[in-house]
């Protein structure tokens, strides 16, 4: 199980900024009322599971959908999640769009993006097979890595299709860590956007 961050840190941040929040056990999908009672009728509501696994998401999606559909008493619902959500999207895509889902990730590709579709087309033309359906897609990772090195040595701009790179030293004698993060938005209108936090 991949934890987002220590929940105590989330609570402290919300308290410091004056945000109201409630905590519930994600073990019942039949009783929506407790969730509805704490939702704001005027301010947007953000839902966050403390676990990234598919079973937790699957069990709570029906509850969140019922909450989202009660537009008479609850302001819009937004689900915030984890990089793993991109691997669950094939099964839950419509639900994730309905819940206006946002998740963070160091990598993301979508064949509905023209630049990604073009790389897939060229890969098939060259190798007579599709790019493997894994997350991350290693063919795209290789492409982005080669672009990054090319850009590093030539100074020419590069436009990665899946991964980004922003390396920072972790210590004076240590190596570097990639701190690049994207925020992916599966909106209620059915579109998907990849937002670069460095722009």
């Amino acid at each position: 199980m991949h934890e987002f961050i220590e929940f105590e840190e989330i609570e402290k941040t919300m308290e410091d900024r004056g945000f109201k929040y409630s905590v519930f056990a994600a073990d019942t999908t039949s009783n929506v009322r407790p969730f509805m009672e704490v939702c704001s009728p005027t301010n947007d509501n953000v839902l966050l599971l403390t676990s990234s696994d598919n079973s937790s998401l699957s069990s709570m999606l029906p509850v969140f959908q019922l909450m989202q559909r009660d537009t008479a008493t609850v302001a819009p619902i937004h689900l915030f999640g984890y990089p793993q959500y991109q691997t669950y999207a094939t099964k839950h895509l419509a639900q994730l769009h309905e819940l206006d889902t946002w998740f963070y990730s160091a990598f993301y590709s979508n064949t509905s993006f023209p630049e990604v579709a073009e790389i897939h087309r060229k890969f098939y033309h060259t190798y007579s097979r599709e790019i493997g359906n894994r997350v991350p897609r290693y063919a795209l990772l290789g492409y982005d890595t080669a672009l990054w090195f090319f850009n590093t040595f030539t100074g020419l701009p590069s436009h990665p299709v899946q991964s980004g790179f922003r390396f920072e030293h972790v210590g004076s004698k240590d190596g570097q860590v990639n701190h690049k993060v994207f925020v992916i938005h599966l909106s209620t209108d059915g579109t998907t956007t990849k937002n670069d936090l460095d722009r």
Side-chain angles (χ1 to χ4, degrees):
M1 180 171 62
H2 175 278
E3 297 301 335
F4 175 50
I5 57 175
E6 292 294 325
F7 192 71
E8 290 78 13
E9 292 180 36
I10 297 176
E11 289 181 305
K12 183 178 185 310
T13 300
M14 289 189 291
E15 288 167 359
D16 289 347
R17 298 188 179 188
F19 293 126
K20 294 181 180 180
Y21 68 93
S22 297
V23 180
F24 293 93
D27 60 358
T28 174
T29 59
S30 59
N31 192 352
V32 180
R33 182 173 296 169
F35 294 93
M36 298 295 289
E37 289 175 349
V38 298
C39 282
S40 171
T42 55
N43 298 315
D44 285 20
N45 298 282
V46 177
L47 305 171
L48 170 65
L49 294 170
T50 57
S51 172
S52 63
D53 64 79
N54 189 35
S55 60
S56 297
L57 178 66
S58 297
S59 68
M60 294 308 297
L61 280 174
V63 174
F64 296 160
Q65 285 179 280
L66 289 173
M67 295 166 64
Q68 179 74 295
R69 293 170 186 173
D70 188 359
T71 56
T73 59
V74 174
I77 299 286
H78 311 279
L79 176 62
F80 187 80
Y82 305 87
Q84 291 86 340
Y85 282 20
Q86 61 191 299
T87 64
Y88 312 149
T90 52
K91 183 177 181 182
H92 303 300
L93 186 60
Q95 294 167 298
L96 293 174
H97 274 292
E98 181 180 354
L99 293 169
D100 194 54
T101 301
W102 301 74
F103 64 88
Y104 68 96
S105 183
F107 50 83
Y108 182 78
S109 70
N110 188 318
T111 53
S112 69
F113 298 164
E115 64 275 14
V116 177
E118 180 64 9
I119 296 297
H120 277 260
R121 186 192 67 76
K122 288 180 178 178
F123 187 95
Y124 186 83
H125 178 75
T126 303
Y127 300 107
S128 300
R129 65 183 179 86
E130 301 288 346
I131 292 176
N133 191 22
R134 296 180 180 90
V135 177
R137 288 178 168 83
Y138 290 108
L140 300 183
L141 179 60
Y143 176 85
D144 290 342
T145 303
L147 278 181
W148 182 82
F149 276 106
F150 184 74
N151 171 260
T152 300
F153 292 112
T154 66
L156 296 173
S158 64
H159 303 285
V161 295
Q162 176 182 248
S163 304
F165 303 98
R166 181 170 57 82
F167 291 103
E168 295 181 5
H169 287 282
V170 293
S172 59
K173 296 182 180 180
D174 297 320
Q176 297 184 12
V177 173
N178 185 11
H179 286 278
K180 187 68 163 184
V181 177
F182 301 105
V183 174
I184 314 305
H185 181 203
L186 307 178
S187 69
T188 54
D189 65 5
T191 60
T192 300
T193 55
K194 180 180 177 180
N195 304 284
D196 189 336
L197 291 186
D198 287 342
R199 292 186 179 170

